[in-house]
Amino acid sequence: MSVAVETLPAFPFDWNGTRLPAELDALRAEPVRKVRTIAGAEAWLVSSYELCRRVLEDPRFSLKDTSAPGAPRQYALTIPPHVVNNMGNITGAGLRKAVMKAINPKAPGLEEWLRERAGQLLDVLVAEGAPGDLRSGFADPYSSGLHCRMLGIPEEDGPRLLRSLDVAFMNAPRAIEAAGLHWDRDIAYMTERLDDPATGGLMAELAALRDDPDYAHLTDEMLATVGVTLFGAGVISTAGFLTMALVSVLTREDVREALTAGGGGRGVAGAMDELLRVNLSIGDGLPRLATEDVTLGGVDVRAGELVLVLVEAANHDPAHFSDPLAFRPERENAADHLSFGGGRHYCPATALGKRHAELALETVLERLPGLRLAVPVEQLVWRTNFMKRLPERLPVAW
């Protein structure tokens, strides 16, 4: 006698960053749906705006516990388990004030530096001639340079740290040796910066705490971990959003018109929240582990089960955002998007990330008004090993 076994949908669904997954329509009728992850675990996929926000704000759904031994995984850990709850660790160590100061978008001279750096990178692209690569030639080095400046380390060291991100944010079904090797190398680098008199910024502030008796509990490894994690998480998120915002500009006429004065739009600043809402850079779900039995959307989620928040579905939920496929910077609730998470783990660098992208987009649109893709959009190749989906290259002409 044969027994039917339910075949669960594989998640994530679609890595193409120019379209929403086709499965979204079916999820509207089943906003809490069991799926199977890359690591082979069962998980509850949550897709409606209301339920996604509830999961992010409900303390019974824990980020920290997703790294616990034996917990069901979305993908194998590529960083040490204790680093998963990074901002929680920073707060617990008494370092939140220093970190928040470092990521302040109103820091003296920062805006001028961002505008100048964006212009310099575009000048290099133009001098080299079309086609250029807006990802490797602009978004990545622009974001890397910002975080090097914030940490107080040489900008020329950014590329060596960037090399680790392919592995650090890999969606792998099982642990890989390279992840540990990259992590150890970068921790060693940041530890050296603590003793380097040329170091400035946040790393210099952290180094100075070693002489303060109130911070005697901190080790050099803990301080170095702050530098490594802020660089990695910061660059992958800011460069990811900026890259995908550029993809939207290049592939959607409504976006381009809304961002340019010639189109009668409100400009980049007035459209940032809508850009974040329609952004399709998050290719997986935000993971949480249920710490208690919870009824969610009529479904009984048991303690110890994995829950994945599908941000892109929530941001395009017609029950919360009317006409969600339309790009409308004037919509009153555009800022309700969940692209920076929510609850206790709402991204603390929200203001910096928005300002960083705003200045970069303004510079691109001013200097390269004729910017266009150099290949048909169908020929863009999307990386499937990143926590956030990004085009392998973004070849453009102008």
Side-chain angles (χ1 to χ4, degrees), residues 3-153:
V3 179
V5 178
E6 180 185 14
T7 301
L8 297 177
F11 182 80
F13 301 126
D14 186 351
W15 284 93
N16 188 315
T18 63
R19 64 193 183 203
L20 288 164
E23 291 84 353
L24 245 57
D25 287 341
L27 291 175
R28 297 299 176 211
E30 194 177 7
V32 182
R33 173 75 163 92
K34 188 162 280 190
V35 295
R36 190 167 301 282
T37 70
I38 290 172
E42 294 185 3
W44 292 107
L45 183 67
V46 182
S47 54
S48 74
Y49 181 88
E50 177 188 359
L51 296 178
C52 284
R53 184 157 195 161
R54 178 182 165 189
V55 170
L56 293 175
E57 294 179 349
D58 191 329
R60 294 175 295 177
F61 296 103
S62 167
L63 172 62
K64 175 176 67 69
D65 290 318
T66 60
S67 63
R73 304 234 188 268
Q74 182 172 199
Y75 36 75
L77 288 179
T78 50
I79 56 176
H82 68 274
V83 179
V84 169
N85 187 32
N86 187 43
M87 280 307 297
N89 295 335
I90 287 172
T91 300
L95 300 174
R96 185 178 180 87
K97 183 177 180 181
V99 169
M100 294 304 294
K101 176 184 175 183
I103 61 178
N104 178 10
K106 297 182 179 180
L110 178 59
E111 181 167 321
E112 292 77 9
W113 183 90
L114 286 169
R115 290 186 185 279
E116 181 180 3
R117 191 70 185 107
Q120 291 170 347
L121 290 168
L122 290 178
D123 286 344
V124 172
L125 275 178
V126 171
E128 291 178 347
D133 184 356
L134 270 183
R135 182 177 169 199
S136 65
F138 183 71
D140 285 351
Y142 177 72
S143 300
S144 171
L146 165 63
H147 286 79
C148 286
R149 185 183 191 276
M150 177 186 75
L151 292 170
I153 62 177

Side-chain angles (χ1 to χ4, degrees), residues 87 96 99-100 103-105 147 150 230 233-234 237-238 340 346-356:
M87 280 307 297
R96 185 178 180 87
V99 169
M100 294 304 294
I103 61 178
N104 178 10
H147 286 79
M150 177 186 75
L230 286 183
S237 58
T238 54
F340 286 114
Y346 184 77
C347 178
T350 296
L352 177 63
K354 290 173 70 172
R355 190 60 176 150
H356 146 282

Side-chain angles (χ1 to χ4, degrees), residues 41-385:
E42 294 185 3
W44 292 107
L45 183 67
V46 182
S47 54
S48 74
Y49 181 88
E50 177 188 359
L51 296 178
C52 284
R53 184 157 195 161
R54 178 182 165 189
V55 170
L56 293 175
E57 294 179 349
D58 191 329
R60 294 175 295 177
F61 296 103
S62 167
L63 172 62
K64 175 176 67 69
D65 290 318
T66 60
S67 63
R73 304 234 188 268
Q74 182 172 199
Y75 36 75
L77 288 179
T78 50
I79 56 176
H82 68 274
V83 179
V84 169
N85 187 32
N86 187 43
M87 280 307 297
N89 295 335
I90 287 172
T91 300
L95 300 174
R96 185 178 180 87
K97 183 177 180 181
V99 169
M100 294 304 294
K101 176 184 175 183
I103 61 178
N104 178 10
K106 297 182 179 180
L110 178 59
E111 181 167 321
E112 292 77 9
W113 183 90
L114 286 169
R115 290 186 185 279
E116 181 180 3
R117 191 70 185 107
Q120 291 170 347
L121 290 168
L122 290 178
D123 286 344
V124 172
L125 275 178
V126 171
E128 291 178 347
D133 184 356
L134 270 183
R135 182 177 169 199
S136 65
F138 183 71
D140 285 351
Y142 177 72
S143 300
S144 171
L146 165 63
H147 286 79
C148 286
R149 185 183 191 276
M150 177 186 75
L151 292 170
I153 62 177
E155 186 174 353
E156 56 266 27
D157 289 352
R160 66 183 289 183
L161 296 170
L162 273 172
R163 288 197 301 268
S164 298
L165 302 191
D166 277 346
V167 175
F169 290 88
M170 181 178 287
N171 284 352
R174 59 190 63 85
I176 52 175
E177 182 182 8
L181 297 175
H182 280 259
W183 178 263
D184 291 344
R185 182 191 66 193
D186 292 347
I187 288 293
Y189 168 82
M190 286 294 178
T191 301
E192 291 173 1
R193 300 288 73 74
L194 292 171
D195 293 320
D196 187 341
T199 298
L202 176 61
M203 295 308 295
E205 290 196 30
L206 296 181
L209 293 178
R210 297 182 296 180
D211 297 327
D212 188 332
D214 291 339
Y215 291 90
H217 60 288
L218 298 176
T219 65
D220 282 1
E221 182 177 0
M222 292 170 67
L223 297 175
T225 296
V226 174
V228 172
T229 54
L230 286 183
F231 182 90
V235 170
I236 201 67
S237 58
T238 54
F241 167 56
L242 176 55
T243 298
M244 294 308 300
L246 289 165
V247 169
S248 294
V249 168
L250 293 165
T251 60
R252 295 185 54 164
E253 190 61 33
D254 57 343
V255 172
R256 193 178 187 104
E257 288 186 359
L259 299 186
T260 57
R266 298 171 58 189
V268 177
M272 284 307 297
D273 280 313
E274 186 72 344
L275 269 174
L276 283 157
R277 185 188 70 80
V278 304
N279 178 44
L280 299 180
S281 67
I282 304 175
D284 55 4
L286 301 182
R288 300 291 187 268
L289 198 76
T291 57
E292 301 177 17
D293 292 350
V294 183
T295 300
L296 187 66
V299 173
D300 293 328
V301 178
R302 303 299 181 189
E305 291 187 322
L306 180 63
V307 176
L308 302 176
V309 173
L310 190 54
V311 168
E312 291 161 342
N315 285 348
H316 289 82
D317 185 349
H320 192 81
F321 299 102
S322 62
D323 194 13
L325 297 181
F327 186 81
R328 291 174 20 207
E330 72 281 1
R331 70 170 72 238
E332 293 182 358
N333 64 346
D336 288 356
H337 65 80
L338 301 179
S339 297
F340 286 114
R344 293 176 297 171
H345 298 288
Y346 184 77
C347 178
T350 296
L352 177 63
K354 290 173 70 172
R355 190 60 176 150
H356 146 282
E358 179 185 329
L359 295 175
L361 286 170
E362 285 180 352
T363 305
V364 170
L365 292 170
E366 288 170 3
R367 297 210 178 190
L368 302 176
L371 188 70
R372 65 187 187 279
L373 274 176
V375 300
V377 64
E378 296 80 10
Q379 293 182 13
L380 290 179
V381 178
W382 299 89
R383 287 199 172 188
T384 58
N385 67 330

